[in-house]
Amino acid sequence: MSLEDNYLITVGLEVHTELRTKTKLFCGCANEFGAEPNTNTCPVCLGLPGSLPVVNRKAVEYAMRIGTALNCEIKHSVFHRKNYFYPDMPKDYQVTQYDEPTCINGYIELPITGKVVNIVRAHIEEDTGKSTHIGTSGRITGADYSLVDYNRSGIPLVEIVSAPDMVSGEEAREYVSELRSILVATGATDGKMEEGSLRVDANVSVRKVGTDELGTRCEIKNLNSLRSLVRAITYEARRQMEIVDGGGKVTQETRHWNEDLGRTSSLRSKEEAYDYRYFPEPDLSPLDPSVEEIEAIKANLGALPPKRRAALVELVGDSPSKSEIEQIQTVINFDLDDLIFAGIEKGVPAKLSLARCANEVAGLITGLDESYLVPSEKLLEVLVKESLGELTPTQSKAVLARVVADRAIDVAALIAELGFVASSSDEMDSLVGEIIAESPSEWERYLSGEDQLAGFFVGKAMKKSGGKANGKLVSKSLNDRRSQIQG
Amino acid sequence: MSDAQFVEMSAVDIAAGVRSGAFSAVEVVTAHLKQIESYDHEVKAFVTQMSDRALEAARAVDEKRARGEELGALAGVPVALKDNMAYRGVETTCSSKILRGWIPPYTATVVERLEAAGAIAIGKTNLDEFAMGSSTENSAFFPTRNPIDLNRVPGGSSGGSAASVAARFAPIAIGSDTGGSIRQPASLCGVVGVKPTYGLVSRYGLIAFASSLDQIGPFARSVEDSSLVLDVISGHDERDSTSLSGRSYDHQASDGGIEGLRVGVITEMMDGLSDSVNKALAQAIESLRSMGALVDEVSVPAAKFGLTAYYLIAPAEASSNLARFDGVRYGLRVEGKDMNETYELTRGQGFGPEVKRRIMLGTYALSAGYYDALYGKAQKVRTLIANDFDAAYSNYDVLISATSPTVAFEFNAKSDPLSMYMSDVCTIPSNLAGHPAMSVPFAGDEDGLPIGIQVLAPSFGESVMFKVASALEAAAKYRAVPQWASTEK
Amino acid sequence: MSNDDISIETTRHIAYLARLALDESEVREYAGQLSAILEHAEDIASLDLDGVAPMRHTLSVVNIMRDDEVRPSLDREEVLASAPDAQASMFLVPKIVGEE
Ligand SMILES: [Zn+2]
């Protein structure tokens, strides 16, 4: 029995998402990624003496959209100051929300496992600047000095705090993945983990199987990808299990995930009682959205991933397989569900377009520029041809790849160029005739009801035609012949 | 027109003269710069003088007139600015070592509005470091002396601004008032000082002491001038979330009488006054009655807790507002072995004792385990005070009290922080409630030291407040004169 | 609120939270003065304020917001001119130890 079998893991996540506003939370500086250092700064976001904040209306609207999408109540809220010293925080306090956040008590349902994860709160706060640590190691511990850029200072964030409802790194990954697709669907954020616009801190604790009380938790920072998230949680849980199993006690602390070393390490060298001395920010007014505003946000939100997923599940049938659920999730993450519905109208079976979209198209558009527009009409044309048997699956996949790569391409001309002109039914029928003549015993067995032998004939047809035979037409020919014989 | 006449002239008259072409802005500014040159080495009202800029600005006003362009309400009027307001390109220090040398890249809204009206900034005035104090002795650079008696303090924290008006360095000045920092020095220097309703004047560019209490206001030698300046600086500013839209103050000639006005004298502020102040208050009551006002004593019971609430709330907010002075982006840095030590050394050496004391007190009041008993409770007391004022204003149009329990005191007279804090006992409640209040010079003690009467009004009650202040001004038989101009001394 | 004097140890902790380097005499002085001031604050400790709402602000306004429109930022050279130390157009600070 492994150590893992004796322990239960508890994970709660704090996800920070940058909002896609034009300007920062409290000033008119541009909210953009990758600008020259300290060019998007002003008295407010530099914390210059005498400057004052004014809240960005769009940021509040986005926060309310996010809250609504996460099934939260939208409340009267108050900004607070969280006081602590750090060079990338220009006022040496962060304006955030404390005991009266904008969004509380929501939940999301995980798509694959169906588990419900509760959202404790989602609140608005300002981002900090960025420190670069200069020194031999490039890491904070070995740095000689640091350089601070305040372009990111004051960018609006929403922090989404989950309940400690998850039990593994994999579940945490599923949560973040689903959360991300919901956030992107609201239009409030671009959800790019690689650019830091989605950042995750994980609270991890372990307890012995059979006990109820949660163990002491550690907070892991610097989780920049879903892969890091899973690895860090798994590592940290194992570390804590080893401590507890050895009779030790886990210290509550903040730990840093090192992706290269694959381990977490303690961040705070000084034992300081964290006393953030929160108090209501006197420079800002409370937020108090009206019922009408909240209703309007709800009404304008559009279909969110859970609803879109349910619609696809219905298309596929009553009890979709695990791989189909995963395909549905992918299709939603890549916004391809409209294509599937359009396919239905043109007679393309849902399962076929689901498989092609999730397994082919999603992969093909990964990594393309954000502004890339999926050539839905042309992709649909290909799927229609495949469903009619005019393209084999192999051919269809090849054509899809070319269409994605070149949106302007003419599908019919491409098929001709590739020589994927389907053999006619007559040609196919005579080919089947030849094969039957060559394989009488297999034909007998097929006639006597061994349906699986259809595969044998299709394989032969492929071989004889140099891959151009259409499996569907071969099957049809076999079936027609048997029906005729058996009357 | 002689220099002596220019420096005695009111802002209203200067602006009228410059607009009509009776004299030039350059003449006005030159006369005031000479007055500064003659006497500021004794008064020490200014941390930074802006002579060259002032002359240049005066020339610009005169040229504007020559081109036939319309001039503003304060055309050619010199104004002294408390050195806690940002002015682009001019060192702004808060009279603190930690900020010495800082050149702001932007200008405070109030200053922009003054300059847009044609006013001419002539210098940045001394204050108690970060506006924390009641004597200007807490300036990290030097104390300012009271022009009426150079052996005494001018009050504070806006002591430099009050002194500059009393010394005729400028007809008007701008200060900030968190617990009495405009009204108390106005009283001690014998000038008018106004703390407007919270939210009436933009705080953008005012280096914050306690954000929920700070308010910018004018000093002048007449109620009319102070009213004109408030008209210019008030009104909504989109850069300050606490500046109210749809609210501004309109200056009008305060000729309306006070006949039939109901005036309450605050009982809780009658204790602990010096004899001369007590006598002046009694005279003020008599004067108001003789002009037809209905004057009675009224109790504002919670006002007696004002001092306690203030000395928890203001330091708490200050401890957070002053965190940014950390040696990273501007101001002093005292390098340590790492960032944390750099913070500690910079702040330990950059701040003076009173600032450190208040940061300590405020940090304590907000810290875990004490928040509810200290900061939380003080905020509830604030509600009580506002409620008690509301009750009083249901029966009275304005309230009055002495501004300060004493006349100007000598240097180093109040070395114990608590006794210094008591100077603000009459002024603090208005800040806690957010109400307007002003000090108007009314009498002199036996030594000729000025005594101010405070007029308090409900939120946005500036008009009635100015009306009563004008009545007191008209009844006053006293006029503060600088020591060097006084024949008795 | 308690009658207990503020200890030297508490004073040191508060000074650390506020990042103020104090020498020993300052620590003793502030410990005494804070105690005296807080003793004075006893007058509100005895008040029964259970039903009273804290006044967070004298203004009763809500939803003061601005539109999401870009305004010019400051000139970077002017900003960096105030910096005690700068490098590569960034603010240079001593090494950051231990903290996050
Ligand atoms: Zn900015």
Side-chain angles (χ1 to χ4, degrees), chain A residues 43-44 46-55 81 83 85-87 89-93 150 275 277-280 282-285, chain B residues 102 105-106 203-207 211 238-242 320-321 323-326 328-330 339 343 347 363 366-368 371 375:
Chain A
V44 177
L46 283 169
L48 295 189
S51 63
L52 294 171
V54 185
V55 177
R81 291 185 186 176
N83 294 284
F85 285 83
Y86 202 78
M89 204 165 54
K91 301 180 293 292
D92 290 299
Y93 59 78
Y150 293 103
D275 190 342
R277 291 158 284 133
Y278 285 98
F279 74 103
D283 290 330
L284 293 169
S285 72
Chain B
W102 181 55
Y106 78 107
R203 295 183 294 117
Y204 191 78
L206 167 69
I207 299 174
S211 313
E238 60 174 17
R239 291 175 293 187
D240 176 358
S241 309
T242 65
S320 174
N321 283 332
R324 67 187 66 190
F325 302 99
D326 59 5
V328 171
R329 292 159 302 278
Y330 42 79
M339 194 61 238
Y343 284 142
R347 294 165 58 78
T363 303
L366 290 175
S367 63
Y371 181 95
Y375 186 76

Side-chain angles (χ1 to χ4, degrees), chain A residues 23-24 37 86 267 282 288, chain C residues 57 63 66 68 71 76 98 100:
Chain A
T23 65
K24 294 186 180 182
Y86 202 78
L267 257 181
D288 193 19
Chain C
H57 227 280
N63 299 329
R66 66 180 171 84
D68 186 25
R71 296 289 163 89
R76 180 169 67 178
E100 133 193 5

Side-chain angles (χ1 to χ4, degrees), chain C residues 27-81:
Chain C
V27 169
R28 277 195 303 276
E29 187 189 333
Y30 288 131
Q33 286 172 343
L34 292 191
S35 300
I37 292 164
L38 292 167
E39 192 181 322
H40 188 82
E42 292 286 324
D43 65 350
I44 66 167
S46 53
L47 292 175
D48 177 14
L49 298 173
D50 278 355
V52 182
M55 183 191 266
R56 288 177 161 183
H57 227 280
T58 62
L59 304 170
S60 51
V61 294
V62 295
N63 299 329
I64 304 299
M65 292 185 261
R66 66 180 171 84
D67 293 335
D68 186 25
E69 286 164 8
V70 177
R71 296 289 163 89
S73 291
L74 288 173
D75 172 55
R76 180 169 67 178
E77 300 322 307
E78 195 173 353
V79 165
L80 291 167

Side-chain angles (χ1 to χ4, degrees), chain B residues 334-363:
Chain B
V334 182
E335 197 101 15
K337 65 178 192 304
D338 58 23
M339 194 61 238
N340 242 338
E341 196 179 273
T342 303
Y343 284 142
E344 293 179 318
L345 293 175
T346 300
R347 294 165 58 78
Q349 294 176 29
F351 291 131
E354 183 62 29
V355 174
K356 285 193 268 191
R357 179 157 41 243
R358 296 205 199 182
I359 290 174
M360 293 287 289
L361 182 56
T363 303

Side-chain angles (χ1 to χ4, degrees), chain B residues 121-140:
Chain B
I122 55 160
K124 309 289 297 286
T125 62
N126 199 18
L127 60 148
D128 285 298
E129 183 178 2
F130 285 102
M132 296 178 185
S134 310
S135 69
T136 316
E137 291 168 290
N138 293 334
S139 166

